């Protein structure tokens, strides 16, 4: 599963963990997160995330 990093703050969205505090269940791919979701740390939109190359 691909991880995505918030460019402004460095938060890593890991689909294995999801973002339960924001209603995103574990196992949810980044592509399947609603467009209205924002970074739980700095509140920017999904557009401000980039793929983490592993």
């Amino acid at each position: 599963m691909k991880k995505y990093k918030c460019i402004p703050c460095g938060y890593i969205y890991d689909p294995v963990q999801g973002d339960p505090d924001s209603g995103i269940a574990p196992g949810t791919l980044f592509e399947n997160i609603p467009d209205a979701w924002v970074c739980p740390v700095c509140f920017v939109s999904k557009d401000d995330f980039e793929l983490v190359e592993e």
Side-chain angles (χ1 to χ4, degrees):
M1 290 186 168
K2 298 176 183 175
K3 296 179 183 178
Y4 285 79
K5 180 173 83 169
C6 179
I7 297 166
C9 77
Y11 168 81
I12 302 290
Y13 176 77
D14 183 349
V16 173
Q17 297 176 357
D19 182 14
D21 292 340
S22 298
I24 307 300
T28 302
L29 298 176
F30 188 79
E31 296 83 2
N32 295 334
I33 296 173
D35 290 336
W37 178 82
V38 295
C39 175
V41 176
C42 70
F43 309 108
V44 297
S45 72
K46 284 177 60 177
D47 293 337
D48 291 310
F49 279 72
E50 64 184 3
L51 178 63
V52 174
E53 298 296 334
E54 295 184 9

